[in-house]
Amino acid sequence: MGNQPIKMDTGNKVLLFISSLALLATVLFLVSQLASWIGGMMGSQAEAVSEERIAERIAPIGRVVSGEVDTAEEAADLSPGDIYANVCAACHDSGASGAPLKDDTDEWTNRLNDKGLETLFENSINGIGAMPARGGDSSLTDEQMNEVVAYMLDQAGVDHGYEGSANGNGDTAADDAAAEGEEPVATTDAGEAAAEEEAEAVAAIAVDEGDVERGQSRYNTCVACHGAQGQGTPVFPALAGRDAEYIADKLVRYRAGETVGDQTALMAPNAANLSDQDIADLAVYVATFED
């Protein structure tokens, strides 16, 4: 009798099931309340940290200070080449509005012979034709404008005889030496010095040691503008038919930050990190393109 199983009718089973559900719901309710309480405690701490982080994130990264800028002092620190790149290159590199190209030897020779150096200086200072006075930069001094004109004549390979301090032909050192009774030291023409420096940089490129396969890999970044076979585009020049020395010369000048042509702003950043070996590899690969 004592070992007989307890028999439950359907009504008792339903009641037991409902009781179990009620117990489960109670447990879940208590657990949710406990989780909410713990979450509230952590949330208050997180909120404080969050406010600090927000304050850091929305803090200004800088501030604008208004006031007078000594443009004359800033301009005084610029070399003729810097001034040319900033003020003159837009027209004298492209020939816009009839401006003579910087490296057009015949044009500059004719202008120098016809007008004389002083007139060229005056035109650069006062403006002529489409060119505004001082190239549009009123902070430049007369001397700086003279230096820039001399710089362009140097780049064109035209002998002008101007001796300006910033142009590299300055006689300041000679005057100081003479005042102290010393023999003046001969100065070097800026154009010749720049040309020699550039020639040395190009000579340092061992084109004969360039590797065509490495150059082809490097050239992948050039395809979009110059074409897979160097055929060029309406905007970018063709490279096909150019020899390795020509390509190396252009890349060295771009790498040095020199204004070479209309696309200098796009080319210079790409050439800035090229090593001598990279330039040699690219040069010999591009030289394989047939015109």
Side-chain angles (χ1 to χ4, degrees):
M1 295 289 292
N3 294 328
Q4 292 181 350
I6 299 174
K7 295 182 179 179
M8 298 180 62
D9 57 20
T10 302
N12 288 334
K13 289 181 179 180
V14 172
L15 181 61
L16 180 60
F17 178 72
I18 294 174
S19 299
S20 299
L21 290 178
L23 179 60
L24 179 60
T26 302
V27 172
L28 292 176
F29 174 76
L30 293 175
V31 171
S32 66
Q33 291 297 312
L34 178 61
S36 298
W37 179 77
I38 294 175
M41 293 291 292
M42 297 181 64
S44 61
Q45 297 178 358
E47 182 178 357
V49 175
S50 178
E51 289 178 356
E52 292 178 1
R53 291 178 63 85
I54 290 174
E56 292 177 359
R57 290 183 179 181
I58 66 175
I61 60 175
R63 59 196 180 102
V64 177
V65 179
S66 61
E68 294 185 1
V69 178
D70 191 347
T71 54
E73 182 177 350
E74 290 185 354
D77 296 332
L78 298 175
S79 69
D82 293 332
I83 296 173
Y84 175 84
N86 295 340
V87 180
C88 316
C91 293
H92 287 282
D93 276 354
S94 63
S97 302
L101 295 174
K102 177 183 66 174
D103 55 359
D104 190 335
T105 303
D106 292 339
E107 180 65 21
W108 281 110
T109 299
N110 292 336
R111 289 182 180 239
L112 182 62
N113 292 337
D114 293 344
K115 300 180 179 181
L117 186 60
E118 290 302 320
T119 300
L120 294 182
F121 288 163
E122 291 174 4
N123 290 342
S124 71
I125 294 170
N126 301 320
I128 183 173
M131 186 183 75
R134 304 180 193 279
D137 188 344
S138 60
S139 67
L140 298 176
T141 65
D142 290 359
E143 182 180 359
Q144 286 175 313
M145 294 307 301
N146 295 348
E147 307 289 359
V148 174
V149 172
Y151 168 81
M152 286 190 281
L153 291 170
D154 287 336
Q155 297 303 304
V158 178
D159 185 17
H160 51 79
Y162 176 70
E163 296 183 352
S165 56
N167 185 45
N169 301 320
D171 54 0
T172 303
D175 290 344
D176 292 343
E180 297 176 4
E182 301 175 1
E183 289 294 327
V185 179
T187 57
T188 304
D189 180 88
E192 294 178 359
E196 290 176 3
E197 183 177 348
E198 180 180 318
E200 291 175 0
V202 174
I205 306 298
V207 175
D208 55 341
E209 297 180 6
D211 184 88
V212 173
E213 291 185 0
R214 288 198 304 263
Q216 182 177 11
S217 177
R218 278 279 179 187
Y219 187 77
N220 288 335
T221 60
C222 313
V223 171
C225 296
H226 293 288
Q229 294 298 316
Q231 69 271 24
T233 66
V235 177
F236 295 91
L239 302 179
R242 299 292 190 179
D243 59 34
E245 288 73 17
Y246 174 88
I247 300 300
D249 172 70
K250 294 297 183 184
L251 290 174
V252 166
R253 294 170 65 188
Y254 280 127
R255 184 178 64 178
E258 182 180 342
T259 300
V260 180
D262 293 342
Q263 305 304 329
T264 297
L266 295 176
M267 279 296 302
N270 289 300
N273 296 320
L274 293 177
S275 66
D276 287 356
Q277 186 62 58
D278 293 335
I279 291 177
D281 295 341
L282 278 167
V284 295
Y285 175 67
V286 172
T288 64
F289 297 156
E290 295 183 0
D291 191 0

